[in-house]
Amino acid sequence: MKTLSALPAALAVVLLSGCGADPAPAAAPPPSSPAAAQAPAGTPCGEVAGLQGAKNKVVARGKTECTEATQVLTDYFAKLTPAEAASPQGPGPVVIGAWTCGSGPNDPVTSCSTEDERQIDATRS
């Protein structure tokens, strides 16, 4: 009868021994750094003519399509007055639909953005 009384204890040992056999869960990935949360590099969208026919390379960021990016910048450069272009504070801000465009004084980059954080950049080439 000793063997029957040991059976529940042996069964418990077998069942419990499997509990520790599972590998430890994978560690959670480290939180992203602020640099990783910055805007992606962007999508090159070709060129548009800027002031005095200067070529500008267009880059769309976020959920902005290239067709919209090139149209916004084409409209911006067409709407920009000589006085705005010569402003000591830099050209802009100029509103084009939902977009606001401008740049700093002597800055080769024109940036346009929306309130929902879409962005377009144009760099004189």
Side-chain angles (χ1 to χ4, degrees):
M1 290 277 180
K2 284 186 181 180
T3 55
L4 288 179
S5 63
L7 186 58
L11 184 59
V13 169
V14 170
L15 291 175
L16 291 176
S17 66
C19 290
D22 291 340
S32 61
S33 67
Q38 292 179 358
T43 303
C45 297
E47 293 183 340
V48 296
L51 296 174
Q52 301 173 343
K55 291 185 178 187
N56 290 270
K57 293 180 182 177
V58 178
V59 176
R61 301 184 191 288
K63 297 179 180 178
T64 306
E65 299 287 329
C66 281
T67 53
E68 182 178 25
T70 55
Q71 187 62 56
V72 167
L73 284 163
T74 298
D75 293 350
Y76 166 75
F77 288 119
K79 187 175 181 179
L80 191 64
T81 67
E84 290 169 326
S87 170
Q89 289 82 29
V94 174
V95 175
I96 307 292
W99 295 87
T100 302
C101 302
S103 62
N106 300 315
D107 191 349
V109 178
T110 297
S111 293
C112 302
S113 60
T114 62
E115 288 187 12
D116 62 355
E117 299 182 2
R118 292 179 291 155
Q119 185 172 341
I120 305 165
D121 292 326
T123 305
R124 281 191 299 266
S125 35

